Amino acid sequence: MAVAGSLLFGVTGCAEEGSERGVPKDYKVVAGTQLCGGGAVSADAARALRVITGSSRFEASAERYTVARAAADLVEEFPSSTVAKDICRVYTPIGTPDFELRITWRLADDAPTDDPAAPKFTVLKMGEETLAAADMAYVRFACTSARLSQSSGVAHLDIGVQHWAVPTEPEGDVQELKDAYATVAHSFSLAMSRELGCEKNGGLPERPVLEPA
């Protein structure tokens, strides 16, 4: 997969002349709250990222990978349903164990059904539906906004956070990981709802709700 959310597009062969140890001159490492344009990762979500990745520092996100850019793309796509598209990606720094998270948005056709969730997921009380597992989480919420006035003005959005790797058994406390993924997904969902101007923040709470539905 092409690296979408990082300034580092493969260190090997990409270093500028004069850089040290194959690291590009513009390579930066930042705190979690500075990722994805800033404002997308709350303090709670930054702590959750540390639970997920084992790191509190990350590769700086490329300038174009922001919630504002993702929201503008969503407005352009609405009201058609879409496949999952990147908001950004999160990478641990060079010299630490590799870890990649993919954060995505998707326009769904309608509200969730009553079909039971897969056994790996815990259903949480956030938005229209929140599903949390030990390697991913998804939040669906409904957004009514003046920016989405082309039709009924109601959009059903999925925000996903997923460990982008070959499936393996999660390392660590499963419940702690589920809570962490749900916290990150909530943070991006709330940031997206605010950027879109959704009424009542799309029904999302100010802080993540981690109790099962």
Side-chain angles (χ1 to χ4, degrees), residues 115-138:
D115 294 340
K120 68 182 288 185
F121 290 107
T122 297
V123 181
L124 304 177
K125 298 177 181 179
M126 292 192 288
E128 293 186 301
E129 182 179 65
T130 296
L131 304 175
D135 57 354
M136 65 182 70
Y138 298 93

Side-chain angles (χ1 to χ4, degrees), residues 148-164:
L148 304 173
S149 59
Q150 297 177 42
S151 59
S152 65
V154 179
H156 299 278
L157 280 67
D158 288 342
I159 304 297
V161 178
Q162 182 177 356
H163 182 196
W164 206 241

Side-chain angles (χ1 to χ4, degrees), residues 31-95:
T33 53
Q34 296 173 279
L35 290 166
C36 309
V41 180
S42 66
D44 286 341
R47 288 188 287 271
L49 284 175
R50 185 167 188 171
V51 171
I52 293 168
T53 68
S55 178
S56 59
R57 306 286 287 176
F58 305 91
E59 291 184 10
S61 305
E63 290 184 3
R64 68 185 296 264
Y65 290 98
T66 66
V67 167
R69 177 64 179 268
D73 290 344
L74 186 153
V75 169
E76 187 174 337
E77 295 278 359
F78 184 77
S80 300
S81 60
T82 66
V83 297
K85 300 189 178 185
D86 283 338
I87 297 174
C88 76
R89 299 192 187 187
V90 174
Y91 298 88
T92 47
I94 294 172

